[in-house]
Amino acid sequence: DSHFMADNGTRVTEFILMGFQLQAEMQQGLFLMFLAFYLITLGGNLGMIMLIQSDSRLHTPMYFFLSHLSFLDICYSSVIVPQLLETLGTHKMVITYERCATQFFFFTLYASTECFLLAVMAYDRYVAVCCPLLYAMVMTPQTRLGLIAAAYSGAMVNTVVRTGCTFSISFCKSNQVDFFFCDLPPLLKLACSETKSREQVIFLLAFLVITTSISVILISYFFIIWAILKIRTTGAKAKTFSTCASHITAVALFFGTLIFMYLKGNMGKSLWEDKIVSVFYTVVIPMLNPVIYSLRNKEVKEAMRKAFKRMKVSQGE
């Protein structure tokens, strides 16, 4: 390969994504499975956005944030899955240096925005449960847009620094990325320059993004649970809690896998383990979010019923 000589330290101009390295039949099976997951992700999240747009009863701050969550899920699974399908389907594993950096950039951007957005959604539930009378005054359209803008801005800072730190490392050990997309742990394995200081910056940022988001979520839920415990009737307790249940589920899935992946010591002891966990949050969670939100929420179910009714009527005409 003229682009690449491992030992004399020339600059890597392309990477080889090793993917899952399984037998051909297994690769085909994975291809079909991921394709199905991806189509469900696109369908479910686009459906959610359209439903929220079309039903005036869902024009509330909570669903405004939820449509942004759906948008992010579409974006960040689209950064990963098509590439993954290409690798599995065509066995074409080469990815240019620029494309690898671009994928890394957008994946980091959408994933960090999702961290912040889940925190914003927890704050929204806090205001709704703990200050119901002030809710409309607090969650004005300007506030909502401000919170979304803050989530994207915070994520952008993290993304620019993280991508800059990662791709200013010189890679010369090999250009084989033992993973199915350009992610941090497998890329760091290829570094031939000293990466300690950069790694510390990257980890500090990841730590800040995750801990800030989780702190906001935990504090919000502390007050929410406190408020729920003070409610006298069991029915009202259950009803109040049910508005938060889908959010708690989404948070537990997303942060659980992220923490496992990025904050555990000595990353990549087992890259297989990392691959399975990564599949979970790049492929499975974006597909589950619309399901989590539509199963738990009466308003969403009701809006779906109305939408199906309208479709039936228009077909009948």
Side-chain angles (χ1 to χ4, degrees):
D1 187 345
S2 58
H3 282 311
F4 173 78
M5 299 293 292
D7 299 321
N8 68 4
T10 40
R11 193 172 153 263
V12 171
T13 56
E14 57 188 30
F15 292 103
I16 298 167
L17 290 173
M18 302 307 285
F20 292 97
Q21 295 156 314
L22 298 163
Q23 292 102 345
E25 302 80 57
M26 295 272 290
Q27 297 262 41
Q28 278 169 339
L30 276 184
F31 176 84
L32 293 172
M33 183 178 81
F34 288 140
L35 179 62
F37 281 1
Y38 185 55
L39 294 174
I40 296 168
T41 302
L42 291 183
N45 285 295
L46 278 171
M48 201 64 157
I49 293 170
M50 283 156 65
L51 195 64
I52 291 167
Q53 289 296 317
S54 69
D55 196 309
S56 57
R57 285 190 320 171
L58 300 182
H59 292 178
T60 64
M62 174 172 151
Y63 290 106
F64 170 76
F65 294 131
L66 184 54
S67 56
H68 276 273
L69 185 70
S70 288
F71 168 72
L72 283 173
D73 282 338
I74 290 170
C75 289
Y76 92 81
S77 61
S78 298
V79 172
I80 305 296
V81 185
Q83 168 72 54
L84 171 58
L85 291 173
E86 187 188 348
T87 309
L88 286 169
T90 61
H91 306 291
K92 183 176 151 298
M93 294 170 169
V94 176
I95 181 172
T96 63
Y97 184 86
E98 291 73 23
R99 191 171 159 188
C100 181
T102 307
Q103 185 183 45
F104 185 92
F105 179 90
F106 282 108
F107 174 69
T108 305
L109 178 66
Y110 297 131
S112 351
T113 308
E114 184 147 335
C115 284
F116 290 133
L117 182 62
L118 287 167
V120 165
M121 290 168 86
Y123 172 70
D124 169 69
R125 292 297 80 216
Y126 156 73
V127 181
V129 172
C130 299
C131 328
L133 302 176
L134 299 174
Y135 186 62
M137 275 164 60
V138 175
M139 280 294 170
T140 60
Q142 291 83 354
T143 310
R144 282 183 250 175
L145 286 171
L147 287 166
I148 290 286
Y152 276 99
S153 311
M156 184 55 99
V157 171
N158 175 42
T159 302
V160 169
V161 177
R162 185 188 173 94
T163 309
C165 281
T166 304
F167 286 87
S168 61
I169 291 171
S170 46
F171 301 106
C172 66
K173 281 196 182 152
S174 152
N175 66 342
Q176 296 192 343
V177 179
D178 188 7
F179 217 60
F180 60 92
F181 69 100
C182 286
D183 200 10
L184 185 67
L187 283 172
L188 288 178
K189 286 195 156 44
L190 309 182
C192 51
S193 55
E194 202 279 310
T195 62
K196 200 92 201 116
S197 55
R198 289 195 187 90
E199 274 186 62
Q200 281 167 346
V201 174
I202 292 169
F203 274 109
L204 179 67
L205 276 171
F207 182 74
L208 283 174
V209 170
I210 291 176
T211 45
T212 314
S213 310
I214 288 182
S215 304
V216 172
I217 292 166
L218 290 177
I219 293 165
S220 301
Y221 274 105
F222 173 77
F223 287 113
I224 289 170
I225 289 163
W226 189 247
I228 290 174
L229 290 176
K230 288 197 277 195
I231 298 172
R232 297 272 160 75
T233 61
T234 322
K237 270 186 183 159
K239 187 169 180 257
T240 311
F241 188 73
S242 75
T243 65
C244 307
S246 32
H247 179 252
I248 293 174
T249 314
V251 164
L253 283 171
F254 187 74
F255 282 105
T257 43
L258 269 192
I259 289 168
F260 179 84
M261 193 64 198
Y262 292 110
L263 297 182
K264 61 178 178 148
N266 177 14
M267 296 190 326
K269 278 199 278 281
S270 144
L271 268 173
W272 252 110
E273 210 174 79
D274 287 358
K275 284 179 193 178
I276 305 292
V277 175
S278 293
V279 163
F280 196 73
Y281 72 83
T282 54
V283 184
V284 181
I285 292 177
M287 174 179 79
L288 290 181
N289 275 343
V291 179
I292 293 168
Y293 275 93
S294 48
L295 289 181
R296 301 276 342 182
N297 290 29
K298 283 200 189 86
E299 290 120 325
V300 175
K301 286 183 191 161
E302 192 53 43
M304 281 161 104
R305 242 178 260 133
K306 272 168 60 180
F308 283 128
K309 234 185 220 159
R310 280 200 300 272
M311 274 157 60
K312 270 187 188 157
V313 168
S314 63
Q315 279 166 0
E317 279 167 7

